[in-house]
Amino acid sequence: QVQLVESGGGLVQAGGSLRLSCAASGRTVSSYAMGWFRQAPGKERESVAAITRSGGTTYYAASPKGRFTISRDNAKNTAYLQMNNLKPEDTAVYYCAARTRDLIYGTWSGPYDYWGQGTQVTVSS
């Protein structure tokens, strides 16, 4: 079992940047594939990005692709989501998720076994 805690959210102006962190319990995060999701007010939860257990392959939804970067530091048991050129439509609660089975093409959006509590990202204009 793994526990996930997101941090790094906040209020930023359009065009600004934030880096979200997802701290995982245990001695290593490398046993889990990781994903980032978000849910905006009045919208369904959507996949944002994902990364394989080794960190060798990443996936992105169409909207944030080119602006967001997912990464991981297994030594720190932490996954990250670097968000650049933020837009008001990026405003949402962002969730970190983990799954024990690795991701392959076509599986990056789920299912996931563990979820964090979420961190609020608000982009003003």
Side-chain angles (χ1 to χ4, degrees):
Q1 186 173 183
V2 63
Q3 292 179 314
L4 307 175
V5 179
E6 304 96 332
S7 62
L11 173 64
V12 297
Q13 199 167 275
S17 299
L18 284 174
R19 187 175 74 165
L20 305 184
S21 298
C22 176
S25 65
R27 292 172 174 80
T28 179
V29 75
S30 62
S31 297
Y32 307 96
M34 307 294 294
W36 285 96
F37 295 77
R38 67 186 181 187
Q39 187 165 20
K43 300 291 184 65
E44 294 184 351
R45 184 192 67 188
E46 64 176 343
S47 301
V48 176
I51 189 167
T52 55
R53 293 195 294 178
S54 69
T57 305
T58 56
Y59 306 91
Y60 298 94
S63 179
K65 189 174 184 179
R67 300 187 296 117
F68 291 9
T69 302
I70 188 171
S71 62
R72 64 193 303 158
D73 186 340
N74 291 336
K76 296 181 179 179
N77 294 331
T78 303
Y80 304 95
L81 184 68
Q82 178 67 47
M83 305 185 294
N84 298 325
N85 191 25
L86 284 161
K87 303 175 180 180
E89 51 263 43
D90 295 319
T91 295
V93 176
Y94 282 71
Y95 298 92
C96 177
R99 55 180 275 164
T100 56
R101 300 185 70 180
D102 208 0
L103 297 169
I104 59 174
Y105 186 83
T107 71
W108 69 276
S109 63
Y112 287 81
D113 302 310
Y114 306 101
W115 294 83
Q117 84 289 347
T119 185
Q120 177 70 48
V121 172
T122 303
V123 185
S124 65
S125 60

